[in-house]
Amino acid sequence: MNFPASFPATRMRRNRRDAWTRKLVAENTLTPGNLIWPIFLTSGENQKVPVESMPGVFRVSVDRAAEHVAEAVELGIPAVALFPYTPAEQRDEEGTGALNPENLMCRAARALKAAHPGLGLIGDVALDTYTSHGHDGVLRDDYVHNEDTVHILCQQARLMAEAGVDVVAPSDMMDGRIGSIREALDDAGLIHTRIMSYAAKYASGFYAPFRDAVGSNAALRGDKKTYQMDPANTDEALREVALDVAEGADMVMVKPGLPYLDIVWRVKKEFGLPTYAYQVSGEYSMIMAAVERGWLDHDRAMMEALMAFRRAGCNGVLSYFALSAARLLKAG
Ligand code: PBG
């Protein structure tokens, strides 16, 4: 770019002087259509339980799920992402709960599809919400076994798609899972089921409140560094994305969000694909904790963070702020 003019002929502040010009020169927009709202599910009836480490976030029972998302649908949020909470006593080594057609994910998918047929449902494909050791796959000699895990994930993905999940979102970071899941879906005739791959997912400390929300925190044995990415790496993220796209991913995601906007930027630039970021639990809780202490203004911090994702190239953001942000956008 060439900018020959200089001060005082050019005064950058002219365009910032009034609200209407600021609006005219705004380079990016944020609408409810850019937001995906993650929802935590719990067993029982008539439950709406606060998640302690995530102020303003709840786990809801399946019978209340439709009512819980109704306002989000009304406000134009296109999709929700579902995550089940599983207490320790219902977990096992192989995460067999993932393959139960009556699990929370499948029951919620059926209930939500019936109540809100136009709402996109995104289902998490991974075993960490079902395993006693909290890992995303099955352990063989204390190592998360790639192919054995992928074999189970394919069945899990198929099951939730049959229950009404529109987009399966593998968050496990096993190698080759996108291709295998695509094949399993196609073999079952589920050719319209989309895959949003957690393509570049980092071994992050910012997931801690989420693990509390789904009941994995106490369970997790060790860390996830043998499958999730090293926060030091960028080029590797592009290889991950390239593989997932070659295997059939329809959309790709970067996770966490704000600390990884450089990755979002590069992915969007190199591939030009539908690209999403997950503003994860720790990012949400950091803002909320500061808000509770009076150190940050909730609305300003929330909107500024969400706009940053758009500026970096995200088509959309998975955010626990989705409903609050959509409300604020509607209020204008
Ligand atoms: C695991 C999964 C995690 C999140 C989404 N799916 C946690 C992890 O990898 O340990 C984190 C989301 C968040 O922190 O908000 N399948």
Side-chain angles (χ1 to χ4, degrees):
M1 279 188 270
N2 189 22
F3 296 109
S6 62
F7 180 82
T10 296
R11 287 181 181 268
M12 295 303 285
R13 293 180 58 196
R14 275 189 208 115
N15 282 340
R16 297 182 198 133
R17 186 161 183 274
D18 303 293
W20 64 267
T21 20
R22 289 196 293 271
K23 198 171 192 171
L24 273 179
V25 302
E27 297 174 35
N28 291 284
T29 57
L30 176 72
T31 73
N34 305 122
L35 301 170
I36 295 169
W37 193 27
I39 304 291
F40 296 113
L41 304 163
T42 190
S43 56
E45 271 168 38
N46 198 24
Q47 299 291 309
K48 187 173 174 181
V49 189
V51 176
E52 211 184 321
S53 53
M54 301 177 72
V57 173
F58 299 85
R59 299 181 194 114
V60 294
S61 50
V62 171
D63 59 322
R64 291 189 65 168
E67 153 213 326
H68 186 62
V69 304
E71 189 187 353
V73 175
E74 184 88 356
L75 290 169
I77 290 176
V80 295
L82 304 172
F83 296 96
Y85 165 80
T86 314
E89 65 276 11
Q90 287 169 28
R91 293 164 170 264
D92 59 32
E93 283 280 316
E94 298 286 299
T96 51
L99 302 186
N100 177 354
E102 293 305 314
N103 66 20
L104 290 174
M105 176 71 76
C106 294
R107 286 172 45 222
R110 287 192 287 266
L112 288 171
K113 262 295 147 206
H116 305 289
L119 176 68
L121 301 180
I122 302 177
D124 190 59
V125 178
L127 299 182
D128 61 308
T129 52
Y130 302 100
T131 50
S132 47
H133 43 72
H135 280 290
D136 291 35
V138 289
L139 298 178
R140 307 286 180 249
D141 298 326
D142 266 342
Y143 182 72
V144 176
H145 192 282
N146 199 85
E147 276 80 338
D148 284 5
T149 299
V150 171
H151 182 70
I152 300 170
L153 298 181
C154 287
Q155 300 170 61
Q156 181 188 24
R158 175 182 169 170
L159 209 63
M160 65 176 75
E162 282 169 347
V165 163
D166 303 287
V167 184
V168 295
S171 65
D172 56 289
M173 290 297 279
M174 296 302 109
D175 286 322
R177 90 273 205 219
I178 300 300
S180 298
I181 289 171
R182 183 71 268 160
E183 200 179 311
L185 292 172
D186 287 354
D187 285 350
L190 296 158
I191 58 166
H192 303 302
T193 303
R194 277 135 273 187
I195 301 179
M196 176 186 276
S197 117
Y198 286 68
K201 177 172 176 180
Y202 287 83
S204 171
F206 291 102
Y207 307 146
F210 171 94
R211 290 176 189 163
D212 172 29
V214 298
S216 298
N217 231 358
L220 185 61
R221 213 188 286 159
D223 57 47
K224 300 190 176 184
K225 292 179 184 170
T226 70
Y227 46 106
Q228 297 179 348
M229 284 181 56
D230 182 345
N233 297 348
T234 306
D235 291 338
E236 189 186 341
L238 300 184
R239 289 183 73 195
E240 285 282 5
V241 171
L243 285 165
D244 286 1
V245 173
E247 291 174 32
D250 301 286
M251 319 171 207
V252 295
M253 192 206 297
V254 172
K255 179 180 175 190
L258 280 195
Y260 295 84
L261 288 186
D262 56 324
I263 312 298
V264 169
W265 176 258
R266 270 193 85 186
V267 166
K268 187 65 180 180
K269 268 222 145 29
E270 303 259 349
F271 298 94
L273 290 163
T275 304
Y276 302 81
Y278 199 141
Q279 182 187 39
V280 300
S281 56
E283 300 176 63
Y284 173 83
S285 297
M286 280 196 296
I287 293 177
M288 291 305 285
V291 166
E292 285 189 345
R293 282 165 178 72
W295 292 345
L296 283 179
D297 177 81
H298 177 276
D299 292 354
R300 290 195 66 181
M302 168 176 78
M303 295 314 253
E304 190 173 328
L306 291 173
M307 187 61 87
F309 289 100
R310 296 283 291 147
R311 207 178 56 235
C314 282
N315 295 77
V317 190
L318 287 92
S319 173
Y320 301 99
F321 286 116
L323 181 63
S324 310
R327 280 180 184 151
L328 200 63
L329 288 166
K330 189 189 179 189

